[in-house]
Amino acid sequence: MTERTFVMIKPDAVARGLSGEILARFERRGFAVLGLKKCVMARDAAEEHYAEHRDKPFFAELVEFITSGPVVMMCIEGEGAILACRTMMGATNPQDAAPGTIRGDYALEVGQNVIHGSDGPESAARELGIHFADSEIIG
Ligand code: DAT
Ligand code: MG
């Protein structure tokens, strides 16, 4: 089934100059990049984005990190995009991420794990709604 998902290159990876090669992986896989922008996430958007983690001990640090510098946000479309993008990203903790995955190739720490991707259809719709206006998604 053709799906849309929200994928975001986090501030650590943007600062390290990895945006291009990470974006290229999704293009090479065959996905369409319907939306693409570099921006600094506002605090209220970050708190909404990570609302499910509000009560976790790492929440403050997570919001601090994700708003600390520019991110690259994408709306990605393709067959099975939600799960396929998550599989390309690898495990949340880069110590557990397989080589060949984005986290397995570019990251070492869970607090700076390079990339975000929606974890299901509801999250994808919700996150795309937070971060993209309809007019910014060019299908
Ligand atoms: P994912 O980003 O793989 O969907 P998640 O939704 O469980 O993972 O967590 C969101 C982010 O929060 C994750 O990318 C990094 C951070 N995080 C998760 N668990 C953490 C922990 N135990 N300590 C510090 N940061 C953590
Ligand atoms: Mg998540």
Side-chain angles (χ1 to χ4, degrees), residues 50-76:
Y50 281 126
E52 66 173 302
H53 299 303
R54 193 164 281 149
D55 298 327
K56 306 265 173 65
F58 56 83
F59 182 70
E61 182 191 344
L62 181 58
V63 169
E64 205 56 45
F65 167 62
I66 211 67
T67 59
S68 67
V71 294
V72 173
M73 297 179 172
M74 292 174 260
C75 172
I76 284 187

mmCIF file with all atom_site columns, all heavy atoms in Angstrom, residues 50-76:
data_model
loop_
_atom_site.group_PDB
_atom_site.id
_atom_site.type_symbol
_atom_site.label_atom_id
_atom_site.label_alt_id
_atom_site.label_comp_id
_atom_site.label_asym_id
_atom_site.label_entity_id
_atom_site.label_seq_id
_atom_site.pdbx_PDB_ins_code
_atom_site.Cartn_x
_atom_site.Cartn_y
_atom_site.Cartn_z
_atom_site.occupancy
_atom_site.B_iso_or_equiv
_atom_site.pdbx_formal_charge
_atom_site.auth_seq_id
_atom_site.auth_comp_id
_atom_site.auth_asym_id
_atom_site.auth_atom_id
_atom_site.pdbx_PDB_model_num
ATOM 1   N N   . TYR A 1 50 ? 6.661  15.005 20.529 1.00 0.00 ? 50 TYR A N   1
ATOM 2   C CA  . TYR A 1 50 ? 7.090  13.952 21.452 1.00 0.00 ? 50 TYR A CA  1
ATOM 3   C C   . TYR A 1 50 ? 6.131  13.780 22.631 1.00 0.00 ? 50 TYR A C   1
ATOM 4   O O   . TYR A 1 50 ? 6.540  13.289 23.688 1.00 0.00 ? 50 TYR A O   1
ATOM 5   C CB  . TYR A 1 50 ? 8.507  14.250 21.945 1.00 0.00 ? 50 TYR A CB  1
ATOM 6   C CG  . TYR A 1 50 ? 9.583  13.879 20.948 1.00 0.00 ? 50 TYR A CG  1
ATOM 7   C CD1 . TYR A 1 50 ? 10.536 14.812 20.537 1.00 0.00 ? 50 TYR A CD1 1
ATOM 8   C CD2 . TYR A 1 50 ? 9.679  12.585 20.421 1.00 0.00 ? 50 TYR A CD2 1
ATOM 9   C CE1 . TYR A 1 50 ? 11.536 14.476 19.637 1.00 0.00 ? 50 TYR A CE1 1
ATOM 10  C CE2 . TYR A 1 50 ? 10.679 12.249 19.517 1.00 0.00 ? 50 TYR A CE2 1
ATOM 11  C CZ  . TYR A 1 50 ? 11.603 13.190 19.128 1.00 0.00 ? 50 TYR A CZ  1
ATOM 12  O OH  . TYR A 1 50 ? 12.591 12.835 18.241 1.00 0.00 ? 50 TYR A OH  1
ATOM 13  N N   . ALA A 1 51 ? 4.864  14.142 22.458 1.00 0.00 ? 51 ALA A N   1
ATOM 14  C CA  . ALA A 1 51 ? 3.877  14.105 23.553 1.00 0.00 ? 51 ALA A CA  1
ATOM 15  C C   . ALA A 1 51 ? 3.808  12.730 24.238 1.00 0.00 ? 51 ALA A C   1
ATOM 16  O O   . ALA A 1 51 ? 3.643  12.659 25.458 1.00 0.00 ? 51 ALA A O   1
ATOM 17  C CB  . ALA A 1 51 ? 2.500  14.486 23.025 1.00 0.00 ? 51 ALA A CB  1
ATOM 18  N N   . GLU A 1 52 ? 3.983  11.656 23.479 1.00 0.00 ? 52 GLU A N   1
ATOM 19  C CA  . GLU A 1 52 ? 3.892  10.310 24.079 1.00 0.00 ? 52 GLU A CA  1
ATOM 20  C C   . GLU A 1 52 ? 4.987  10.069 25.111 1.00 0.00 ? 52 GLU A C   1
ATOM 21  O O   . GLU A 1 52 ? 4.886  9.158  25.941 1.00 0.00 ? 52 GLU A O   1
ATOM 22  C CB  . GLU A 1 52 ? 3.962  9.226  22.992 1.00 0.00 ? 52 GLU A CB  1
ATOM 23  C CG  . GLU A 1 52 ? 5.300  9.169  22.291 1.00 0.00 ? 52 GLU A CG  1
ATOM 24  C CD  . GLU A 1 52 ? 5.456  7.989  21.314 1.00 0.00 ? 52 GLU A CD  1
ATOM 25  O OE1 . GLU A 1 52 ? 5.313  6.841  21.737 1.00 0.00 ? 52 GLU A OE1 1
ATOM 26  O OE2 . GLU A 1 52 ? 5.737  8.248  20.131 1.00 0.00 ? 52 GLU A OE2 1
ATOM 27  N N   . HIS A 1 53 ? 6.057  10.878 25.055 1.00 0.00 ? 53 HIS A N   1
ATOM 28  C CA  . HIS A 1 53 ? 7.197  10.694 25.971 1.00 0.00 ? 53 HIS A CA  1
ATOM 29  C C   . HIS A 1 53 ? 7.204  11.714 27.111 1.00 0.00 ? 53 HIS A C   1
ATOM 30  O O   . HIS A 1 53 ? 8.183  11.814 27.844 1.00 0.00 ? 53 HIS A O   1
ATOM 31  C CB  . HIS A 1 53 ? 8.519  10.790 25.194 1.00 0.00 ? 53 HIS A CB  1
ATOM 32  C CG  . HIS A 1 53 ? 8.670  9.747  24.140 1.00 0.00 ? 53 HIS A CG  1
ATOM 33  N ND1 . HIS A 1 53 ? 8.608  8.398  24.409 1.00 0.00 ? 53 HIS A ND1 1
ATOM 34  C CD2 . HIS A 1 53 ? 8.863  9.850  22.791 1.00 0.00 ? 53 HIS A CD2 1
ATOM 35  C CE1 . HIS A 1 53 ? 8.767  7.715  23.285 1.00 0.00 ? 53 HIS A CE1 1
ATOM 36  N NE2 . HIS A 1 53 ? 8.913  8.571  22.282 1.00 0.00 ? 53 HIS A NE2 1
ATOM 37  N N   . ARG A 1 54 ? 6.107  12.471 27.251 1.00 0.00 ? 54 ARG A N   1
ATOM 38  C CA  . ARG A 1 54 ? 6.052  13.579 28.214 1.00 0.00 ? 54 ARG A CA  1
ATOM 39  C C   . ARG A 1 54 ? 6.470  13.172 29.628 1.00 0.00 ? 54 ARG A C   1
ATOM 40  O O   . ARG A 1 54 ? 7.109  13.939 30.327 1.00 0.00 ? 54 ARG A O   1
ATOM 41  C CB  . ARG A 1 54 ? 4.631  14.155 28.229 1.00 0.00 ? 54 ARG A CB  1
ATOM 42  C CG  . ARG A 1 54 ? 4.505  15.474 28.937 1.00 0.00 ? 54 ARG A CG  1
ATOM 43  C CD  . ARG A 1 54 ? 3.195  16.156 28.582 1.00 0.00 ? 54 ARG A CD  1
ATOM 44  N NE  . ARG A 1 54 ? 3.251  16.816 27.286 1.00 0.00 ? 54 ARG A NE  1
ATOM 45  C CZ  . ARG A 1 54 ? 2.215  16.978 26.463 1.00 0.00 ? 54 ARG A CZ  1
ATOM 46  N NH1 . ARG A 1 54 ? 1.036  16.517 26.792 1.00 0.00 ? 54 ARG A NH1 1
ATOM 47  N NH2 . ARG A 1 54 ? 2.359  17.602 25.307 1.00 0.00 ? 54 ARG A NH2 1
ATOM 48  N N   . ASP A 1 55 ? 6.127  11.957 30.025 1.00 0.00 ? 55 ASP A N   1
ATOM 49  C CA  . ASP A 1 55 ? 6.401  11.530 31.402 1.00 0.00 ? 55 ASP A CA  1
ATOM 50  C C   . ASP A 1 55 ? 7.715  10.763 31.553 1.00 0.00 ? 55 ASP A C   1
ATOM 51  O O   . ASP A 1 55 ? 8.052  10.318 32.647 1.00 0.00 ? 55 ASP A O   1
ATOM 52  C CB  . ASP A 1 55 ? 5.247  10.663 31.924 1.00 0.00 ? 55 ASP A CB  1
ATOM 53  C CG  . ASP A 1 55 ? 3.948  11.455 31.959 1.00 0.00 ? 55 ASP A CG  1
ATOM 54  O OD1 . ASP A 1 55 ? 4.004  12.681 32.204 1.00 0.00 ? 55 ASP A OD1 1
ATOM 55  O OD2 . ASP A 1 55 ? 2.885  10.845 31.718 1.00 0.00 ? 55 ASP A OD2 1
ATOM 56  N N   . LYS A 1 56 ? 8.457  10.644 30.469 1.00 0.00 ? 56 LYS A N   1
ATOM 57  C CA  . LYS A 1 56 ? 9.725  9.906  30.550 1.00 0.00 ? 56 LYS A CA  1
ATOM 58  C C   . LYS A 1 56 ? 10.812 10.797 31.147 1.00 0.00 ? 56 LYS A C   1
ATOM 59  O O   . LYS A 1 56 ? 10.789 12.009 30.982 1.00 0.00 ? 56 LYS A O   1
ATOM 60  C CB  . LYS A 1 56 ? 10.169 9.452  29.154 1.00 0.00 ? 56 LYS A CB  1
ATOM 61  C CG  . LYS A 1 56 ? 9.132  8.647  28.383 1.00 0.00 ? 56 LYS A CG  1
ATOM 62  C CD  . LYS A 1 56 ? 9.326  7.147  28.555 1.00 0.00 ? 56 LYS A CD  1
ATOM 63  C CE  . LYS A 1 56 ? 8.188  6.377  27.916 1.00 0.00 ? 56 LYS A CE  1
ATOM 64  N NZ  . LYS A 1 56 ? 8.111  6.514  26.458 1.00 0.00 ? 56 LYS A NZ  1
ATOM 65  N N   . PRO A 1 57 ? 11.786 10.186 31.814 1.00 0.00 ? 57 PRO A N   1
ATOM 66  C CA  . PRO A 1 57 ? 12.862 10.978 32.431 1.00 0.00 ? 57 PRO A CA  1
ATOM 67  C C   . PRO A 1 57 ? 13.702 11.763 31.417 1.00 0.00 ? 57 PRO A C   1
ATOM 68  O O   . PRO A 1 57 ? 14.300 12.777 31.759 1.00 0.00 ? 57 PRO A O   1
ATOM 69  C CB  . PRO A 1 57 ? 13.721 9.930  33.159 1.00 0.00 ? 57 PRO A CB  1
ATOM 70  C CG  . PRO A 1 57 ? 13.322 8.610  32.602 1.00 0.00 ? 57 PRO A CG  1
ATOM 71  C CD  . PRO A 1 57 ? 11.912 8.745  32.109 1.00 0.00 ? 57 PRO A CD  1
ATOM 72  N N   . PHE A 1 58 ? 13.714 11.306 30.182 1.00 0.00 ? 58 PHE A N   1
ATOM 73  C CA  . PHE A 1 58 ? 14.561 11.959 29.174 1.00 0.00 ? 58 PHE A CA  1
ATOM 74  C C   . PHE A 1 58 ? 13.810 13.016 28.363 1.00 0.00 ? 58 PHE A C   1
ATOM 75  O O   . PHE A 1 58 ? 14.366 13.584 27.421 1.00 0.00 ? 58 PHE A O   1
ATOM 76  C CB  . PHE A 1 58 ? 15.194 10.922 28.241 1.00 0.00 ? 58 PHE A CB  1
ATOM 77  C CG  . PHE A 1 58 ? 14.205 10.018 27.537 1.00 0.00 ? 58 PHE A CG  1
ATOM 78  C CD1 . PHE A 1 58 ? 13.571 10.432 26.368 1.00 0.00 ? 58 PHE A CD1 1
ATOM 79  C CD2 . PHE A 1 58 ? 13.919 8.749  28.030 1.00 0.00 ? 58 PHE A CD2 1
ATOM 80  C CE1 . PHE A 1 58 ? 12.670 9.609  25.715 1.00 0.00 ? 58 PHE A CE1 1
ATOM 81  C CE2 . PHE A 1 58 ? 13.008 7.921  27.379 1.00 0.00 ? 58 PHE A CE2 1
ATOM 82  C CZ  . PHE A 1 58 ? 12.387 8.353  26.220 1.00 0.00 ? 58 PHE A CZ  1
ATOM 83  N N   . PHE A 1 59 ? 12.555 13.310 28.725 1.00 0.00 ? 59 PHE A N   1
ATOM 84  C CA  . PHE A 1 59 ? 11.731 14.208 27.890 1.00 0.00 ? 59 PHE A CA  1
ATOM 85  C C   . PHE A 1 59 ? 12.354 15.602 27.725 1.00 0.00 ? 59 PHE A C   1
ATOM 86  O O   . PHE A 1 59 ? 12.452 16.119 26.601 1.00 0.00 ? 59 PHE A O   1
ATOM 87  C CB  . PHE A 1 59 ? 10.317 14.328 28.472 1.00 0.00 ? 59 PHE A CB  1
ATOM 88  C CG  . PHE A 1 59 ? 9.398  15.193 27.644 1.00 0.00 ? 59 PHE A CG  1
ATOM 89  C CD1 . PHE A 1 59 ? 8.938  14.776 26.404 1.00 0.00 ? 59 PHE A CD1 1
ATOM 90  C CD2 . PHE A 1 59 ? 9.002  16.440 28.120 1.00 0.00 ? 59 PHE A CD2 1
ATOM 91  C CE1 . PHE A 1 59 ? 8.090  15.579 25.647 1.00 0.00 ? 59 PHE A CE1 1
ATOM 92  C CE2 . PHE A 1 59 ? 8.148  17.250 27.366 1.00 0.00 ? 59 PHE A CE2 1
ATOM 93  C CZ  . PHE A 1 59 ? 7.701  16.818 26.132 1.00 0.00 ? 59 PHE A CZ  1
ATOM 94  N N   . ALA A 1 60 ? 12.785 16.209 28.846 1.00 0.00 ? 60 ALA A N   1
ATOM 95  C CA  . ALA A 1 60 ? 13.330 17.576 28.783 1.00 0.00 ? 60 ALA A CA  1
ATOM 96  C C   . ALA A 1 60 ? 14.564 17.616 27.886 1.00 0.00 ? 60 ALA A C   1
ATOM 97  O O   . ALA A 1 60 ? 14.712 18.504 27.035 1.00 0.00 ? 60 ALA A O   1
ATOM 98  C CB  . ALA A 1 60 ? 13.664 18.079 30.185 1.00 0.00 ? 60 ALA A CB  1
ATOM 99  N N   . GLU A 1 61 ? 15.415 16.632 28.067 1.00 0.00 ? 61 GLU A N   1
ATOM 100 C CA  . GLU A 1 61 ? 16.643 16.529 27.276 1.00 0.00 ? 61 GLU A CA  1
ATOM 101 C C   . GLU A 1 61 ? 16.316 16.331 25.790 1.00 0.00 ? 61 GLU A C   1
ATOM 102 O O   . GLU A 1 61 ? 16.965 16.899 24.900 1.00 0.00 ? 61 GLU A O   1
ATOM 103 C CB  . GLU A 1 61 ? 17.425 15.330 27.832 1.00 0.00 ? 61 GLU A CB  1
ATOM 104 C CG  . GLU A 1 61 ? 18.763 15.040 27.222 1.00 0.00 ? 61 GLU A CG  1
ATOM 105 C CD  . GLU A 1 61 ? 19.305 13.673 27.689 1.00 0.00 ? 61 GLU A CD  1
ATOM 106 O OE1 . GLU A 1 61 ? 18.783 13.130 28.705 1.00 0.00 ? 61 GLU A OE1 1
ATOM 107 O OE2 . GLU A 1 61 ? 20.205 13.159 27.026 1.00 0.00 ? 61 GLU A OE2 1
ATOM 108 N N   . LEU A 1 62 ? 15.276 15.547 25.544 1.00 0.00 ? 62 LEU A N   1
ATOM 109 C CA  . LEU A 1 62 ? 14.858 15.252 24.167 1.00 0.00 ? 62 LEU A CA  1
ATOM 110 C C   . LEU A 1 62 ? 14.360 16.525 23.464 1.00 0.00 ? 62 LEU A C   1
ATOM 111 O O   . LEU A 1 62 ? 14.758 16.812 22.322 1.00 0.00 ? 62 LEU A O   1
ATOM 112 C CB  . LEU A 1 62 ? 13.748 14.196 24.229 1.00 0.00 ? 62 LEU A CB  1
ATOM 113 C CG  . LEU A 1 62 ? 13.142 13.677 22.935 1.00 0.00 ? 62 LEU A CG  1
ATOM 114 C CD1 . LEU A 1 62 ? 14.207 13.071 22.037 1.00 0.00 ? 62 LEU A CD1 1
ATOM 115 C CD2 . LEU A 1 62 ? 12.071 12.619 23.261 1.00 0.00 ? 62 LEU A CD2 1
ATOM 116 N N   . VAL A 1 63 ? 13.530 17.288 24.152 1.00 0.00 ? 63 VAL A N   1
ATOM 117 C CA  . VAL A 1 63 ? 13.006 18.535 23.573 1.00 0.00 ? 63 VAL A CA  1
ATOM 118 C C   . VAL A 1 63 ? 14.153 19.536 23.382 1.00 0.00 ? 63 VAL A C   1
ATOM 119 O O   . VAL A 1 63 ? 14.234 20.218 22.351 1.00 0.00 ? 63 VAL A O   1
ATOM 120 C CB  . VAL A 1 63 ? 11.880 19.107 24.468 1.00 0.00 ? 63 VAL A CB  1
ATOM 121 C CG1 . VAL A 1 63 ? 11.513 20.518 24.041 1.00 0.00 ? 63 VAL A CG1 1
ATOM 122 C CG2 . VAL A 1 63 ? 10.667 18.191 24.434 1.00 0.00 ? 63 VAL A CG2 1
ATOM 123 N N   . GLU A 1 64 ? 15.039 19.594 24.375 1.00 0.00 ? 64 GLU A N   1
ATOM 124 C CA  . GLU A 1 64 ? 16.202 20.480 24.290 1.00 0.00 ? 64 GLU A CA  1
ATOM 125 C C   . GLU A 1 64 ? 17.034 20.143 23.047 1.00 0.00 ? 64 GLU A C   1
ATOM 126 O O   . GLU A 1 64 ? 17.409 21.019 22.266 1.00 0.00 ? 64 GLU A O   1
ATOM 127 C CB  . GLU A 1 64 ? 17.043 20.300 25.563 1.00 0.00 ? 64 GLU A CB  1
ATOM 128 C CG  . GLU A 1 64 ? 17.895 21.470 25.937 1.00 0.00 ? 64 GLU A CG  1
ATOM 129 C CD  . GLU A 1 64 ? 17.096 22.758 26.100 1.00 0.00 ? 64 GLU A CD  1
ATOM 130 O OE1 . GLU A 1 64 ? 16.021 22.752 26.731 1.00 0.00 ? 64 GLU A OE1 1
ATOM 131 O OE2 . GLU A 1 64 ? 17.556 23.769 25.540 1.00 0.00 ? 64 GLU A OE2 1
ATOM 132 N N   . PHE A 1 65 ? 17.293 18.866 22.868 1.00 0.00 ? 65 PHE A N   1
ATOM 133 C CA  . PHE A 1 65 ? 18.115 18.402 21.745 1.00 0.00 ? 65 PHE A CA  1
ATOM 134 C C   . PHE A 1 65 ? 17.451 18.688 20.401 1.00 0.00 ? 65 PHE A C   1
ATOM 135 O O   . PHE A 1 65 ? 18.075 19.231 19.487 1.00 0.00 ? 65 PHE A O   1
ATOM 136 C CB  . PHE A 1 65 ? 18.391 16.900 21.899 1.00 0.00 ? 65 PHE A CB  1
ATOM 137 C CG  . PHE A 1 65 ? 18.951 16.250 20.663 1.00 0.00 ? 65 PHE A CG  1
ATOM 138 C CD1 . PHE A 1 65 ? 20.178 16.651 20.140 1.00 0.00 ? 65 PHE A CD1 1
ATOM 139 C CD2 . PHE A 1 65 ? 18.257 15.236 20.013 1.00 0.00 ? 65 PHE A CD2 1
ATOM 140 C CE1 . PHE A 1 65 ? 20.693 16.061 18.987 1.00 0.00 ? 65 PHE A CE1 1
ATOM 141 C CE2 . PHE A 1 65 ? 18.767 14.637 18.869 1.00 0.00 ? 65 PHE A CE2 1
ATOM 142 C CZ  . PHE A 1 65 ? 19.985 15.056 18.359 1.00 0.00 ? 65 PHE A CZ  1
ATOM 143 N N   . ILE A 1 66 ? 16.176 18.367 20.291 1.00 0.00 ? 66 ILE A N   1
ATOM 144 C CA  . ILE A 1 66 ? 15.529 18.429 18.969 1.00 0.00 ? 66 ILE A CA  1
ATOM 145 C C   . ILE A 1 66 ? 15.320 19.877 18.525 1.00 0.00 ? 66 ILE A C   1
ATOM 146 O O   . ILE A 1 66 ? 15.180 20.151 17.326 1.00 0.00 ? 66 ILE A O   1
ATOM 147 C CB  . ILE A 1 66 ? 14.209 17.599 18.959 1.00 0.00 ? 66 ILE A CB  1
ATOM 148 C CG1 . ILE A 1 66 ? 13.948 17.016 17.572 1.00 0.00 ? 66 ILE A CG1 1
ATOM 149 C CG2 . ILE A 1 66 ? 13.034 18.381 19.474 1.00 0.00 ? 66 ILE A CG2 1
ATOM 150 C CD1 . ILE A 1 66 ? 14.913 15.976 17.116 1.00 0.00 ? 66 ILE A CD1 1
ATOM 151 N N   . THR A 1 67 ? 15.314 20.817 19.517 1.00 0.00 ? 67 THR A N   1
ATOM 152 C CA  . THR A 1 67 ? 15.170 22.242 19.189 1.00 0.00 ? 67 THR A CA  1
ATOM 153 C C   . THR A 1 67 ? 16.517 22.956 19.162 1.00 0.00 ? 67 THR A C   1
ATOM 154 O O   . THR A 1 67 ? 16.566 24.179 19.018 1.00 0.00 ? 67 THR A O   1
ATOM 155 C CB  . THR A 1 67 ? 14.245 22.950 20.205 1.00 0.00 ? 67 THR A CB  1
ATOM 156 O OG1 . THR A 1 67 ? 14.789 22.803 21.524 1.00 0.00 ? 67 THR A OG1 1
ATOM 157 C CG2 . THR A 1 67 ? 12.833 22.389 20.181 1.00 0.00 ? 67 THR A CG2 1
ATOM 158 N N   . SER A 1 68 ? 17.616 22.220 19.329 1.00 0.00 ? 68 SER A N   1
ATOM 159 C CA  . SER A 1 68 ? 18.930 22.843 19.529 1.00 0.00 ? 68 SER A CA  1
ATOM 160 C C   . SER A 1 68 ? 19.572 23.361 18.247 1.00 0.00 ? 68 SER A C   1
ATOM 161 O O   . SER A 1 68 ? 20.579 24.072 18.310 1.00 0.00 ? 68 SER A O   1
ATOM 162 C CB  . SER A 1 68 ? 19.876 21.837 20.198 1.00 0.00 ? 68 SER A CB  1
ATOM 163 O OG  . SER A 1 68 ? 20.164 20.766 19.304 1.00 0.00 ? 68 SER A OG  1
ATOM 164 N N   . GLY A 1 69 ? 19.034 23.013 17.108 1.00 0.00 ? 69 GLY A N   1
ATOM 165 C CA  . GLY A 1 69 ? 19.627 23.439 15.845 1.00 0.00 ? 69 GLY A CA  1
ATOM 166 C C   . GLY A 1 69 ? 18.753 22.987 14.710 1.00 0.00 ? 69 GLY A C   1
ATOM 167 O O   . GLY A 1 69 ? 17.723 22.334 14.934 1.00 0.00 ? 69 GLY A O   1
ATOM 168 N N   . PRO A 1 70 ? 19.140 23.316 13.486 1.00 0.00 ? 70 PRO A N   1
ATOM 169 C CA  . PRO A 1 70 ? 18.302 22.958 12.347 1.00 0.00 ? 70 PRO A CA  1
ATOM 170 C C   . PRO A 1 70 ? 18.128 21.452 12.168 1.00 0.00 ? 70 PRO A C   1
ATOM 171 O O   . PRO A 1 70 ? 19.043 20.674 12.439 1.00 0.00 ? 70 PRO A O   1
ATOM 172 C CB  . PRO A 1 70 ? 19.028 23.571 11.149 1.00 0.00 ? 70 PRO A CB  1
ATOM 173 C CG  . PRO A 1 70 ? 20.291 24.130 11.638 1.00 0.00 ? 70 PRO A CG  1
ATOM 174 C CD  . PRO A 1 70 ? 20.317 24.114 13.124 1.00 0.00 ? 70 PRO A CD  1
ATOM 175 N N   . VAL A 1 71 ? 16.932 21.101 11.730 1.00 0.00 ? 71 VAL A N   1
ATOM 176 C CA  . VAL A 1 71 ? 16.618 19.727 11.336 1.00 0.00 ? 71 VAL A CA  1
ATOM 177 C C   . VAL A 1 71 ? 16.218 19.765 9.856  1.00 0.00 ? 71 VAL A C   1
ATOM 178 O O   . VAL A 1 71 ? 15.926 20.833 9.312  1.00 0.00 ? 71 VAL A O   1
ATOM 179 C CB  . VAL A 1 71 ? 15.454 19.154 12.177 1.00 0.00 ? 71 VAL A CB  1
ATOM 180 C CG1 . VAL A 1 71 ? 15.855 19.000 13.636 1.00 0.00 ? 71 VAL A CG1 1
ATOM 181 C CG2 . VAL A 1 71 ? 14.192 20.000 12.052 1.00 0.00 ? 71 VAL A CG2 1
ATOM 182 N N   . VAL A 1 72 ? 16.198 18.606 9.221  1.00 0.00 ? 72 VAL A N   1
ATOM 183 C CA  . VAL A 1 72 ? 15.675 18.497 7.858  1.00 0.00 ? 72 VAL A CA  1
ATOM 184 C C   . VAL A 1 72 ? 14.458 17.578 7.917  1.00 0.00 ? 72 VAL A C   1
ATOM 185 O O   . VAL A 1 72 ? 14.571 16.411 8.298  1.00 0.00 ? 72 VAL A O   1
ATOM 186 C CB  . VAL A 1 72 ? 16.733 17.970 6.872  1.00 0.00 ? 72 VAL A CB  1
ATOM 187 C CG1 . VAL A 1 72 ? 16.108 17.697 5.508  1.00 0.00 ? 72 VAL A CG1 1
ATOM 188 C CG2 . VAL A 1 72 ? 17.877 18.972 6.733  1.00 0.00 ? 72 VAL A CG2 1
ATOM 189 N N   . MET A 1 73 ? 13.311 18.165 7.597  1.00 0.00 ? 73 MET A N   1
ATOM 190 C CA  . MET A 1 73 ? 12.043 17.431 7.664  1.00 0.00 ? 73 MET A CA  1
ATOM 191 C C   . MET A 1 73 ? 11.634 16.961 6.279  1.00 0.00 ? 73 MET A C   1
ATOM 192 O O   . MET A 1 73 ? 11.760 17.708 5.311  1.00 0.00 ? 73 MET A O   1
ATOM 193 C CB  . MET A 1 73 ? 10.942 18.351 8.202  1.00 0.00 ? 73 MET A CB  1
ATOM 194 C CG  . MET A 1 73 ? 11.182 18.844 9.607  1.00 0.00 ? 73 MET A CG  1
ATOM 195 S SD  . MET A 1 73 ? 9.834  19.938 10.093 1.00 0.00 ? 73 MET A SD  1
ATOM 196 C CE  . MET A 1 73 ? 10.228 20.176 11.834 1.00 0.00 ? 73 MET A CE  1
ATOM 197 N N   . MET A 1 74 ? 11.111 15.735 6.228  1.00 0.00 ? 74 MET A N   1
ATOM 198 C CA  . MET A 1 74 ? 10.685 15.174 4.946  1.00 0.00 ? 74 MET A CA  1
ATOM 199 C C   . MET A 1 74 ? 9.308  14.541 5.070  1.00 0.00 ? 74 MET A C   1
ATOM 200 O O   . MET A 1 74 ? 9.004  13.927 6.093  1.00 0.00 ? 74 MET A O   1
ATOM 201 C CB  . MET A 1 74 ? 11.656 14.067 4.512  1.00 0.00 ? 74 MET A CB  1
ATOM 202 C CG  . MET A 1 74 ? 13.027 14.535 4.142  1.00 0.00 ? 74 MET A CG  1
ATOM 203 S SD  . MET A 1 74 ? 14.085 13.095 3.830  1.00 0.00 ? 74 MET A SD  1
ATOM 204 C CE  . MET A 1 74 ? 14.942 13.002 5.373  1.00 0.00 ? 74 MET A CE  1
ATOM 205 N N   . CYS A 1 75 ? 8.541  14.671 4.006  1.00 0.00 ? 75 CYS A N   1
ATOM 206 C CA  . CYS A 1 75 ? 7.361  13.824 3.811  1.00 0.00 ? 75 CYS A CA  1
ATOM 207 C C   . CYS A 1 75 ? 7.748  12.831 2.725  1.00 0.00 ? 75 CYS A C   1
ATOM 208 O O   . CYS A 1 75 ? 8.046  13.227 1.589  1.00 0.00 ? 75 CYS A O   1
ATOM 209 C CB  . CYS A 1 75 ? 6.153  14.646 3.369  1.00 0.00 ? 75 CYS A CB  1
ATOM 210 S SG  . CYS A 1 75 ? 4.759  13.594 2.892  1.00 0.00 ? 75 CYS A SG  1
ATOM 211 N N   . ILE A 1 76 ? 7.784  11.566 3.106  1.00 0.00 ? 76 ILE A N   1
ATOM 212 C CA  . ILE A 1 76 ? 8.231  10.519 2.186  1.00 0.00 ? 76 ILE A CA  1
ATOM 213 C C   . ILE A 1 76 ? 7.056  9.628  1.814  1.00 0.00 ? 76 ILE A C   1
ATOM 214 O O   . ILE A 1 76 ? 6.261  9.256  2.677  1.00 0.00 ? 76 ILE A O   1
ATOM 215 C CB  . ILE A 1 76 ? 9.385  9.737  2.843  1.00 0.00 ? 76 ILE A CB  1
ATOM 216 C CG1 . ILE A 1 76 ? 10.638 10.624 2.746  1.00 0.00 ? 76 ILE A CG1 1
ATOM 217 C CG2 . ILE A 1 76 ? 9.584  8.369  2.204  1.00 0.00 ? 76 ILE A CG2 1
ATOM 218 C CD1 . ILE A 1 76 ? 11.894 9.979  3.170  1.00 0.00 ? 76 ILE A CD1 1
#
